[in-house]
Amino acid sequence: MKKGLIRLSSNYLLRQSKLFSTNNRLVFRFCSAKQEKHEFKAETKKLLDIVAKSIYTDKDVFLRELLSNASDALEKQRFLATQKGEQVPSDLEIKIDLDEQKRTITIEDSGIGMTKQEMIDNLGTIARSGSKQFLEQVGSQMNDKIIGQFGVGFYSSFIVGDTVEVVSKSERSDKTYVWVSDGTGTFEISEAKDYFQGRGTKITIHLRPDQAIFSKKAEVLKTIQRYSNFINYPIVVNGERQNIVSAIWVRNKNEITPEDYNKFYEYISNSKLAYKYKLHYSTDAPLSIKALLYIPQTHMEKYGMQMEEFDISLYCKKILIRKNCRELLPHFLRFVKGVVDCEDLPLNISREGYQDTALIAKLKSKLNQRLSEIRQVTLLEGVAMDDEHRNSMTKLLRFQTNKSEDFISLDDYISKLPQGINNIYYYLAPTRQQALTSPYMEPFSNSEIPVILTMNHMDEVVFKQINEYSSKKFVNIESDQAEVDKVAQKSTEENEKKEETNVETTIPNDEITPFCLWLKNELNPIISQVQISKRLKTSPAIIVSAISSGMRQVMHAMGQSTDDLKNLTLEINVQNPIIVNLNKVRKSNRVIASLASKQILDGCLLSSGLLRDPKEVVERQHKILNVLLTSEINTPIIEEVGAYREEAVKQKDSKKDDLDTEIIIDSDGNPQVVKKNKK
């Protein structure tokens, strides 16, 4: 049996303690005329004792550390099999065997295993992380899978054990080796024949008499549930799997059923009562955050004498860092339950806390921002259902406007209205950006009147129900045409004072009525009325309906038919170049004009949320593209180079004079461009 000394990875401990490093040697400097270099010396036995017994707060964390190491070994084996194009082994699991009589606990994994040299390097060197070296080799693609990073977790086994035995076999070696140490600074390593049939690592801890509790199943199960219940691989204790609840917060929302959410809530809340609301949130920027938060139906606070305890658990890569984490949410949200997983947490060496309070503050800000959406939904329900407290709850609602991304109250909104405005204007859109670029916002683009932007159709239900606030009427700028036209008319009058309309960029007055009738006929039965818009400035047209898109969403959700695509009004901008040119083309080529008019309608339906079936839209786009491309192919293209430039121009002009271009519809109904000699 070969003996060795447990070494110190100076470079790593140096980075952790923020000292000065040169060529991987620990040095300090003196302010003198001549500097001398000296190496720090470490008493290995004392250092090992500090690492094993002074870093960690609780003794049971040794099991968390060893299970994390086992998980990393399994993850490495899975990754290497995938890289080789092999099938992922089906035997990837962690086994824990307990023997109360012998006072031992054994943790075995079927992971990547270690060679003799790897056992000497990884187990015989404090603060040398094999997992970190693995990540450096394979790149960042495994960052979210590998847990270990410090290289000290293994030595936590000496918190509870007086002797630790490690048996390991790697697929890269045909031999199995045993590593044994009592934590006094030395270790022994020898070959163990016929121990492993395949690969893996088995750690047996001979517990000290005062730590015999960790050979009892109940204590081990409690520790697994506290720290490591969401490890990806099965944890089997004395033949029975324990971690049967999966970490659903890291999965795609579309893969999770309502039953999964219910079961997970029952698990974390220890309650059979259903939750009221949930927030499943995932983002990679500016922080990598995966969170699943619940708002319960009720809480345990009574008359202010008993306060809810924070029940948010902070994880890093599915390993518990802190339970009941008070730093993640403001105190008034203490009733929220759930988990938050942040891969970017700068953990301290014990992995029981974090080093960057600024990052935690940023994490708290992001979570609070997303939870405000749930609070808004809760308040909206109260405003809609509670007549007695409606006014007081309405004061608590918060909205963004087109003027600012800050959330403001309705009272703040009213304070920003110009003199004489008696309406509260709002607009519903899927996102803020879509709202700001919508044609419906054009009358307000240069106006001092702010518009509330909402992304929740329930806002409009509430606005319709309460109708007004502080004697100001709620006006949806999409459907309340008369009120919006007043704003548009005032804006138009101000613009006319500044500039005159160019008659060449508008449809002549005597052609407006025939054009509107033609357009109505082309777009029938979807469009029953075409009228000149007072609100549009740059867009060609919009759809106007008494029923807004938000109300349509509510009616569809309730199973009510709304006849979306019948008897709608089309407002056109007679100064828009597309509309002006459409009026000209309809006189010379009705086929192209018909296609173009329907394409304009498609755009309007899309903007108003009425476009249900895109099939016809795509087919029409293909026809228009075919016309454009066919026209381009048949247009003569002549290289104009050097001395032949003038002749080329003459040839080009003469061909134009000799040919007429005509678009016809072929037997398949497709438009084709043909050229004819002039008669």
Side-chain angles (χ1 to χ4, degrees):
M1 181 174 287
K2 181 178 179 180
K3 285 191 175 183
L5 291 172
I6 296 178
R7 302 189 303 275
L8 164 68
S9 177
S10 59
N11 185 44
Y12 181 81
L13 287 186
L14 174 63
R15 291 196 302 270
Q16 289 298 310
S17 57
K18 311 298 184 186
L19 297 175
F20 178 78
S21 171
T22 303
N23 298 328
N24 292 340
R25 300 172 68 190
L26 293 175
V27 303
F28 45 77
R29 293 193 168 184
F30 302 91
C31 297
S32 61
K34 183 179 179 180
Q35 292 181 340
E36 296 180 355
K37 289 184 179 180
H38 296 266
E39 289 190 7
F40 280 112
K41 295 180 180 179
E43 185 181 340
T44 306
K45 183 179 183 301
K46 183 65 176 176
L47 179 64
L48 184 59
D49 192 62
I50 291 172
V51 170
K53 301 175 183 178
S54 300
I55 288 178
Y56 300 98
T57 305
D58 299 316
K59 290 182 171 61
D60 59 0
V61 297
F62 85 92
L63 188 56
R64 179 196 71 183
E65 295 297 289
L66 296 182
L67 289 175
S68 297
N69 290 347
S71 175
D72 284 352
L74 295 169
E75 197 60 52
K76 293 171 190 175
Q77 182 61 37
R78 183 200 65 78
F79 176 79
L80 292 178
T82 304
Q83 289 294 95
K84 295 176 184 177
E86 300 173 354
Q87 186 174 358
V88 176
S90 59
D91 64 341
L92 297 180
E93 65 177 3
I94 303 170
K95 296 179 181 178
I96 299 178
D97 290 316
L98 306 169
D99 191 324
E100 292 188 44
Q101 291 184 346
K102 294 182 179 179
R103 225 170 48 240
T104 62
I105 175 172
T106 301
I107 299 100
E108 180 180 351
D109 68 74
S110 53
I112 193 171
M114 290 180 285
T115 64
K116 178 182 179 182
Q117 191 59 47
E118 286 172 337
M119 293 178 77
I120 294 172
D121 292 339
N122 294 341
L123 304 183
T125 308
I126 299 174
R128 185 182 190 274
S129 173
S131 291
K132 188 167 185 179
Q133 288 191 332
F134 180 81
L135 285 176
E136 290 172 353
Q137 293 172 3
V138 303
S140 60
Q141 54 188 314
M142 291 288 289
N143 276 349
D144 60 334
K145 306 291 185 184
I146 299 298
I147 302 167
Q149 55 179 307
F150 297 112
V152 297
F154 167 74
Y155 305 101
S156 65
S157 54
F158 292 108
I159 297 175
V160 295
D162 50 24
T163 303
V164 177
E165 177 185 287
V166 181
V167 181
S168 190
K169 181 180 184 300
S170 169
E171 282 186 344
R172 292 159 291 162
S173 173
D174 57 355
K175 295 182 179 180
T176 303
Y177 291 92
V178 181
W179 182 101
V180 181
S181 177
D182 59 3
T184 59
T186 63
F187 63 88
E188 296 178 348
I189 189 165
S190 60
E191 185 177 347
K193 294 183 178 180
D194 302 325
Y195 199 97
F196 269 110
Q197 294 296 322
R199 59 171 196 282
T201 299
K202 185 174 184 178
I203 301 174
T204 300
I205 303 174
H206 298 269
L207 299 166
R208 296 199 305 272
D210 61 334
Q211 301 301 325
I213 190 171
F214 290 108
S215 64
K216 297 180 181 295
K217 185 176 180 180
E219 186 66 23
V220 169
L221 295 185
K222 184 174 71 174
T223 303
I224 291 172
Q225 184 172 7
R226 180 181 180 187
Y227 293 113
S228 308
N229 205 44
F230 300 111
I231 281 178
N232 280 341
Y233 300 96
I235 301 176
V236 180
V237 180
N238 287 359
E240 184 180 353
R241 179 172 179 176
Q242 301 303 319
N243 58 333
I244 56 176
V245 180
S246 65
I248 66 173
W249 69 83
V250 300
R251 289 162 52 191
N252 189 304
K253 299 178 192 177
N254 299 328
E255 301 173 355
I256 305 174
T257 65
E259 184 180 2
D260 292 333
Y261 283 121
N262 289 332
K263 286 183 177 179
F264 189 76
Y265 177 71
E266 288 180 8
Y267 173 77
I268 63 172
S269 66
N270 294 315
S271 171
K272 291 292 183 180
L273 290 176
Y275 59 87
K276 187 69 173 176
Y277 300 104
K278 74 173 185 303
L279 170 64
H280 192 172
Y281 172 53
S282 178
T283 183
D284 292 324
L287 297 173
S288 177
I289 304 170
K290 294 178 176 64
L292 179 54
L293 305 178
Y294 294 92
I295 293 181
Q297 285 200 17
T298 185
H299 58 81
M300 301 301 294
E301 295 192 7
K302 299 177 181 178
Y303 313 110
M305 301 299 292
Q306 176 184 340
M307 297 188 71
E308 288 272 341
E309 290 291 332
F310 277 87
D311 199 3
I312 299 289
S313 296
L314 178 62
Y315 285 77
C316 181
K317 301 177 183 179
K318 293 183 284 190
I319 299 298
L320 180 69
I321 305 303
R322 182 168 296 180
K323 192 171 177 63
N324 304 329
C325 189
R326 304 175 63 88
E327 294 89 349
L328 291 179
L329 292 176
H331 189 258
F332 68 87
L333 289 177
R334 58 191 175 277
F335 56 86
V336 177
K337 302 178 184 294
V339 297
V340 176
D341 198 318
C342 182
E343 295 174 14
D344 300 322
L345 278 182
L347 302 176
N348 60 28
I349 199 169
S350 68
R351 292 200 297 184
E352 296 174 316
Y354 28 79
Q355 297 173 332
D356 191 343
T357 55
L359 187 143
I360 292 296
K362 187 182 295 185
L363 178 59
K364 178 179 180 179
S365 174
K366 284 294 177 185
L367 292 174
N368 194 31
Q369 181 179 341
R370 295 308 299 265
L371 274 171
S372 66
E373 299 174 8
I374 293 184
R375 293 204 303 272
Q376 184 87 343
V377 171
T378 308
L379 288 171
L380 284 170
E381 182 178 326
V383 172
M385 306 286 290
D386 192 336
D387 294 337
E388 181 180 355
H389 303 100
R390 176 171 295 152
N391 190 58
S392 59
M393 285 189 288
T394 303
K395 292 179 179 293
L396 299 175
L397 295 174
R398 296 294 184 269
F399 304 95
Q400 288 183 328
T401 71
N402 61 326
K403 305 296 183 183
S404 172
E405 294 187 37
D406 295 334
F407 286 86
I408 63 172
S409 66
L410 290 175
D411 289 323
D412 290 334
Y413 172 89
I414 291 173
S415 69
K416 299 177 186 298
L417 287 175
Q419 192 87 16
I421 301 298
N422 296 314
N423 296 323
I424 298 173
Y425 296 93
Y426 68 92
Y427 180 57
L428 172 68
T431 66
R432 176 180 176 84
Q433 185 60 32
Q434 285 179 259
L436 293 175
T437 56
S438 169
Y440 295 98
M441 288 292 295
E442 289 187 16
F444 299 87
S445 58
N446 296 320
S447 171
E448 295 180 0
I449 302 174
V451 178
I452 288 174
L453 304 182
T454 174
M455 290 77 191
N456 185 350
H457 61 269
M458 287 305 299
D459 287 332
E460 182 169 14
V461 174
V462 171
F463 291 159
K464 291 287 186 185
Q465 183 169 351
I466 64 179
N467 193 38
E468 64 177 36
Y469 178 80
S470 293
S471 301
K472 305 285 186 184
K473 179 185 175 184
F474 286 100
V475 171
N476 187 330
I477 66 172
E478 179 189 351
S479 56
D480 292 345
Q481 182 181 353
E483 295 296 336
V484 175
D485 282 348
K486 293 177 183 178
V487 177
Q489 183 66 32
K490 184 176 181 180
S491 177
T492 302
E493 290 173 357
E494 292 175 354
N495 289 334
E496 286 177 350
K497 293 177 181 178
K498 298 177 183 178
E499 55 184 23
E500 294 183 2
T501 303
N502 187 346
V503 293
E504 294 182 359
T505 60
T506 187
I507 298 177
N509 288 333
D510 59 344
E511 296 183 14
I512 288 179
T513 300
F515 176 67
C516 290
L517 291 172
W518 171 82
L519 199 54
K520 173 187 172 183
N521 185 61
E522 286 291 330
L523 305 179
N524 187 56
I526 298 176
I527 298 301
S528 62
Q529 184 178 359
V530 178
Q531 61 188 35
I532 308 305
S533 177
K534 297 178 181 178
R535 69 175 89 183
L536 294 179
K537 297 178 181 180
T538 58
S539 300
I542 55 171
I543 292 289
V544 178
S545 172
I547 304 176
S548 68
S549 57
M551 292 306 297
R552 287 193 192 94
Q553 290 181 38
V554 174
M555 295 173 74
H556 277 295
M558 296 173 63
Q560 298 180 15
S561 175
T562 57
D563 289 330
D564 284 347
L565 300 182
K566 284 185 180 179
N567 302 321
L568 300 174
T569 298
L570 183 71
E571 279 192 12
I572 60 172
N573 179 2
V574 294
Q575 295 182 10
N576 182 272
I578 295 176
I579 299 298
V580 173
N581 290 327
L582 178 61
N583 178 53
K584 295 176 182 178
V585 173
R586 74 178 176 88
K587 304 171 191 174
S588 58
N589 195 318
R590 289 183 174 271
V591 174
I592 297 299
S594 179
L595 286 172
S597 66
K598 291 179 175 60
Q599 187 65 26
I600 292 171
L601 177 61
D602 291 337
C604 294
L605 293 173
L606 183 62
S607 296
S608 60
L610 287 169
L611 192 61
R612 304 291 182 201
D613 184 7
K615 183 180 178 182
E616 289 186 15
V617 180
V618 174
E619 290 177 354
R620 189 155 38 248
Q621 286 178 342
H622 289 166
K623 288 184 179 181
I624 293 174
L625 284 172
N626 186 44
V627 170
L628 293 173
L629 294 172
T630 305
S631 176
E632 185 65 25
I633 291 171
N634 288 278
T635 300
I637 302 176
I638 303 174
E639 295 289 342
E640 300 178 358
V641 182
Y644 296 97
R645 175 181 170 83
E646 293 183 4
E647 183 63 27
V649 173
K650 290 178 182 178
Q651 289 182 17
K652 189 174 181 180
D653 291 341
S654 65
K655 289 193 176 184
K656 284 184 178 178
D657 293 336
D658 294 337
L659 296 174
D660 268 343
T661 299
E662 182 179 352
I663 297 177
I664 64 171
I665 303 299
D666 61 19
S667 58
D668 296 326
N670 296 317
Q672 302 288 339
V673 176
V674 297
K675 293 185 180 290
K676 294 181 179 180
N677 290 324
K678 286 189 176 180
K679 294 182 180 179

